[in-house]
Amino acid sequence: MNNLNTLYKEKKTLVHETYKLINAIKKMYPVVEFLHNRYFPDGKVYYSEKALIETKKKGRKVAPFVVPVVGGIAMENEGYRADEIDAPYIAPKMPITAAELSKKAFGESPESGRTPAQRENEVQSEHMDNLRCSVCRRIELMCSEIITTGRVMMKHFSTAEDAADDVNYTLKQLQFYEGEFGNRYVFQKDFASMKASEKILEFYKMAVILKKRGIRATDMVMTSDVSMLLMSDIEFLEFYNKAKVETGDIKPEEMPEGVVCNGRININGVVMTMFTYDESYEDLDGEAKEIFPKGTLAFLHPGLGETVYAQVTFVEKGRFATYADKIIPRLVMDEKNNMAEVQVFSRPVPYPYDWEGWLVSNIYGEPQAETESYSLFMEEEPEAREDLPVFKTEAEINSMTRKADVITYAELIGLNGLSEEQKLDELKACVLNFQEEIQDMQGE
């Protein structure tokens, strides 16, 4: 944010030129984007409403021997897929009013004597930085959803009130699997009750699955509750602390806020770096939630995908202007209503190079296999299917008296991530809202 303030001091007024704001916002302090930066780093920016993504299964085919006169045998390019995606639209904004500029700023002395005109630069830079951070958190959440579910469900709203109430939205989705999500691993027994040797064996099984797909996982990313079970397991720690045996090293190391490196472990020749990721965000309804759902453990590798961006077009100085960048800030003056508005635009599409290139599990249990299959990116509602689960009525759901029963039913119909830490009424409301969304998509 210092770069933007320096630009203000040079201009002595609000900055209006979008291209200057784009250069300034790139130099603001970074936001914690561990999943985005490490696993889906920024790639191309397209001067188009669509973004091109190319995915491909790695495969492990061996080349054939051929007789010299043949000149070669053609091998199929298996699993390659290229799609043009209508990039989602992210566009938060914050107003700057005369009344806001008349009040003293945060940390400002009451005797400062500053005028509204002197405060406007600082207010604009603060609003722009807050909006930029909110966009970065949304991209980080998109990366998390791809890892944990293989798809991103996106609700496009028209007003802030609709977003807060979770109503009147257009539902789109970005999906990276065909049929069932094949990157979910189910532990053989309750993770908390496993012996250290059993946990290590489960980790090895996960690594072997990826190895057979041609993927070498290097990172074990887990939430704090999973990390606590491992780091408090004396047998597990002792196994990686044996003298004269190079099995790994458990040395917690501080990283960016919300991330801890717990050290490296060697699982029968597969060396993994363990990370604890415990970042949270505030949802549109005002509720604090985790970026990674509780109980998550994922086997990943750096650069398993990338994030591309599409262009943004809006009216500027009486004509349409187009910009292609990760985040595009904008300042709009409204003399009629005596206010200014700071806007930030972004059209990100994070995607994996190989849609089978990672594994994810949850220590609190796994849902049944999914039965729905949608196109990669769609706006139209899918046709109703006869093999979808039969939904309970609102009265039947409200008659449930135990949280466990509500969560079990939710997982049966494909709603994951609910926790017994939530109130019973909240759990029921989540289930009812989810059923309504699915029924709307089926055209019922």
Side-chain angles (χ1 to χ4, degrees):
M1 197 161 63
N2 291 340
N3 293 280
L4 192 56
N5 284 330
T6 300
L7 187 59
Y8 287 144
K9 291 177 181 178
E10 294 175 355
K11 299 294 291 183
K12 303 297 183 182
T13 184
L14 286 170
V15 177
H16 294 258
E17 293 84 355
T18 299
Y19 74 94
K20 290 184 179 179
L21 293 175
I22 292 175
N23 291 329
I25 205 169
K26 289 179 180 178
K27 300 175 183 178
M28 289 182 172
Y29 298 125
V31 183
V32 177
E33 296 180 88
F34 176 67
L35 302 179
H36 176 196
N37 293 334
R38 187 172 179 84
Y39 305 111
F40 300 90
D42 289 338
K44 296 180 180 178
V45 179
Y46 293 95
Y47 269 100
S48 169
E49 297 295 315
K50 297 180 181 291
L52 176 66
I53 67 171
E54 296 178 289
T55 57
K56 187 182 187 305
K57 294 183 180 180
K58 280 232 173 177
R60 296 176 64 83
K61 273 194 172 182
V62 65
F65 291 105
V66 299
V67 295
V69 295
V70 173
I73 294 178
M75 297 182 66
E76 293 184 2
N77 187 9
E78 289 186 312
Y80 174 76
R81 180 170 177 173
D83 295 272
E84 285 190 334
I85 303 300
D86 287 320
Y89 214 84
I90 303 175
K93 61 183 180 181
M94 295 181 72
I96 301 177
T97 64
E100 181 181 9
L101 296 178
S102 298
K103 300 176 183 178
K104 79 176 191 70
F106 178 79
E108 180 184 340
S109 170
E111 294 83 19
S112 65
R114 297 176 69 198
T115 65
Q118 293 171 325
R119 294 190 183 106
E120 62 182 5
N121 295 340
E122 182 178 341
V123 171
Q124 182 190 356
S125 63
E126 288 178 354
H127 285 359
M128 192 169 295
D129 191 45
N130 288 335
L131 294 175
R132 176 187 66 93
C133 290
S134 71
V135 170
C136 291
R137 292 189 194 99
R138 172 57 68 183
I139 298 173
E140 180 78 347
L141 186 57
M142 293 174 73
C143 296
S144 170
E145 291 180 57
I146 291 174
I147 292 171
T148 55
T149 68
R151 64 184 181 185
V152 182
M153 300 297 289
M154 298 170 289
K155 298 177 180 179
H156 289 67
F157 298 93
S158 298
T159 67
E161 292 76 14
D162 287 346
D165 296 334
D166 196 30
V167 296
N168 302 327
Y169 54 81
T170 298
L171 185 64
K172 299 182 180 181
Q173 74 171 8
L174 183 63
Q175 179 170 305
F176 299 104
Y177 62 89
E178 298 174 348
E180 297 181 2
F181 180 46
N183 296 5
R184 186 173 289 126
Y185 182 82
V186 181
F187 290 121
Q188 297 300 309
K189 57 189 294 188
D190 178 56
F191 188 82
S193 63
M194 289 184 193
K195 297 178 182 178
S197 58
E198 292 175 322
K199 293 173 183 174
I200 296 171
L201 180 59
E202 288 294 307
F203 296 157
Y204 181 66
K205 289 179 181 178
M206 295 176 70
V208 168
I209 291 173
L210 289 176
K211 186 177 180 180
K212 290 181 177 179
R213 298 178 181 178
I215 304 297
R216 182 180 178 273
T218 60
D219 296 356
M220 181 193 301
V221 183
M222 49 195 166
T223 49
S224 58
D225 51 342
V226 181
S227 177
M228 282 298 297
L229 289 175
L230 282 181
M231 297 301 107
S232 61
D233 188 332
I234 303 301
E235 290 185 0
F236 181 81
L237 297 178
E238 283 296 323
F239 181 81
Y240 288 104
N241 193 35
K242 295 185 182 297
K244 300 180 181 180
V245 180
E246 292 296 330
T247 54
D249 56 291
I250 307 296
K251 295 180 180 179
E253 176 184 341
E254 291 187 4
M255 295 187 69
E257 183 182 355
V259 184
V260 173
C261 178
N262 299 102
R264 297 179 301 112
I265 58 175
N266 188 323
I267 310 170
N268 197 23
V270 180
V271 180
M272 306 285 292
T273 303
M274 298 184 295
F275 294 99
T276 299
Y277 182 60
D278 202 26
E279 188 68 5
S280 60
Y281 69 100
E282 182 180 326
D283 208 348
L284 299 176
D285 58 6
E287 183 179 349
K289 299 178 181 177
E290 293 82 12
I291 295 286
F292 252 12
K294 287 184 180 297
T296 298
L297 185 150
F299 273 33
L300 312 170
H301 59 92
L304 67 84
E306 69 174 339
T307 303
V308 295
Y309 299 84
Q311 70 181 22
V312 172
T313 301
F314 46 71
V315 175
E316 187 177 58
K317 298 179 180 179
R319 61 182 180 85
F320 284 99
T322 298
Y323 299 91
D325 217 304
K326 173 183 176 180
I327 297 178
I328 297 96
R330 181 191 186 198
L331 180 68
V332 178
M333 306 301 296
D334 186 349
E335 296 183 5
K336 181 178 179 180
N337 294 310
N338 194 32
M339 63 179 292
E341 193 170 74
V342 179
Q343 303 173 346
V344 168
F345 300 85
S346 186
R347 303 193 67 183
V349 181
Y351 72 96
Y353 295 131
D354 183 345
W355 60 84
E356 292 185 342
W358 72 96
L359 278 182
V360 63
S361 187
N362 194 291
I363 66 171
Y364 300 123
E366 294 294 324
Q368 296 182 359
E370 298 174 3
T371 57
E372 299 175 64
S373 177
Y374 306 125
S375 61
L376 186 67
F377 191 88
M378 68 180 188
E379 294 185 53
E380 298 83 10
E381 292 78 9
E383 296 180 358
R385 294 181 47 149
E386 295 179 357
D387 57 343
L388 291 176
V390 178
F391 294 129
K392 292 182 179 295
T393 64
E394 182 175 355
E396 290 175 326
I397 294 173
N398 287 328
S399 66
M400 295 182 181
T401 58
R402 297 197 316 151
K403 295 181 180 179
D405 293 338
V406 179
I407 295 174
T408 299
Y409 172 68
E411 293 178 344
L412 179 64
I413 63 175
L415 175 59
N416 309 312
L418 300 184
S419 169
E420 292 204 9
E421 295 180 2
Q422 296 175 261
K423 295 180 180 179
L424 181 60
D425 290 339
E426 292 177 349
L427 293 172
K428 293 178 181 179
C430 290
V431 172
L432 291 171
N433 288 337
F434 181 79
Q435 286 192 169
E436 291 177 0
E437 293 173 9
I438 297 300
Q439 289 169 344
D440 289 341
M441 291 174 65
Q442 297 173 13
E444 296 181 1

